[in-house]
Amino acid sequence: MNNFIFENATKVYFGKGCVKEYLACLTKQYGDTVMLCYGGGSIKKNGVYEEVMSILTAAGKTVIEFPGIMANPTYAKVLEGTKLARENNVGLLLGVGGGSVMDCCKAISIAARYKGDVWKDFWERAGIFDFEPLPLGVIVTVAGTGSECNGGAVITNEELKIKTGRDYPQCNPLFALLDPTYTYSVPEFQMASGGFDILSHIMETYFSDPDAANVSDDISEALMRGVIRDLRAAIKNPEDYTARSNLMWESTMGENRIIKLGKRMDFECHQMEHQLGAYTDCNHGAGLAVLHPVYYRHIYKEGLAKFKQFALNVWGVSADGKTDEEIALAGIEALEDFIVEIGLPVSLQDLGVDENTDLKAIADSCVIMPGSYKKMTHEEIYAIFKECF
Ligand code: NZQ
Ligand code: ZN
């Protein structure tokens, strides 16, 4: 294994009823004013808003609401939230939602305490912290990004057509409340998309050096088998607590840095999806579902032994009578079949991308990752996009 330093500052409260039990106590030390940040309104339909508001009100908090955080949060929205936080001298940001809400909150937590140009100094280039970001706590309502246990904030700058993220340990939420029953109301498509995002985070880590026996790959294989099992069960019964709670923790495990320790990581598919999102505003997990099998057919030869291991250990592909290459390809095929089974798109057309979209411009704007088995070129990424159509 490669050398590493590990720390994760987020304190996690997990399980049914955790918000009722701990939220009041957790907000105590952050002053009188809480900024409640949320998305397009799902929390008003499923009772979460009411539950959270009643706890905050009973605790004597003044609640400033910041609703309307969109999927793929924009830099403009970050600036809007920053203004509100500053004007009201907010003591705690409380994000209630999925990755979009959590990421927007992390960016606000920096911007509210920083005088310079946040995009330039923290997203365009790596930022320097000589200040403490505004305290942030999160309540997760959908499994997928694992944003609750890292400092990553993926933001879309619409003007520049760039969707990008950076992971600042200083932005790890101070606390994260994970009640799996809050995810019961997530529509099936979004649940599948979030589930695939989990799988993608694990695969992007697994398919990279080092490949000698290591703890990360062992945990990753177990997690991948779990996500496949639990997604199937949750699609059958959306209120299967076991499946939903497993998915919620698998999501955190995918992105709480543990499986990344000692690995180089790939994440080229994430780079491609982020730029596709910057140009088309597509759904994150669904975009990843379209890209992964095609990308893997482009790189499997450079990582043949690992793709074979993936087919055998994750998908249970039979090795009988097959060459190594046939086994590896059968694993990628099993992944593609699973994408279809859970109702996600397998082409850019299915994803709703217009045929006149400038795929060349999107390809040229993608970051090339150093950790992949095969280093991409912008031409090969363009070829992948065209194959995805
Ligand atoms: O906005 P509302 O009305 O709340 O509805 C949301 C939204 O439409 C809905 N939803 C969430 N919880 C629900 C629910 N609907 C019913 N019941 C509930 N309990 O789900 C929809 C999608 O929400 P969103 O937060 O956008 O989804 P997700 O968690 O997949 O987050 C995606 C964003 O996170 C970024 C993605 O790029 C994208 O911008 N990522 C963040 C990462 C990180 N910080 O570590 C890593 C990821 O790779 C990813 O890039
Ligand atoms: Zn992701």
Side-chain angles (χ1 to χ4, degrees), residues 144-145 197-198 200-201 255 267 270 273-274 284-285 288:
T145 64
D197 192 22
I198 307 172
S200 165
H201 297 151
E255 277 292 326
F267 279 88
H270 266 70
E273 192 288 328
H274 283 169
H284 177 59
L288 290 169

Side-chain angles (χ1 to χ4, degrees), residues 298-361:
H298 274 252
I299 68 163
Y300 77 93
K301 283 185 184 158
E302 276 73 13
L304 192 61
K306 198 58 170 291
F307 276 93
K308 178 183 170 191
Q309 188 181 325
F310 174 69
L312 297 174
N313 294 357
V314 177
W315 296 102
V317 166
S318 159
D320 284 354
K322 293 191 186 84
T323 63
D324 286 356
E325 186 163 354
E326 283 166 348
I327 296 169
L329 284 170
I332 299 171
E333 206 172 303
L335 175 69
E336 201 165 39
D337 289 348
F338 182 65
I339 291 167
V340 174
E341 178 191 331
I342 61 177
L344 290 179
V346 285
S347 73
L348 288 179
Q349 257 154 329
D350 289 351
L351 186 65
V353 174
D354 189 277
E355 60 181 331
N356 296 318
T357 305
D358 190 350
L359 295 177
K360 174 89 172 63

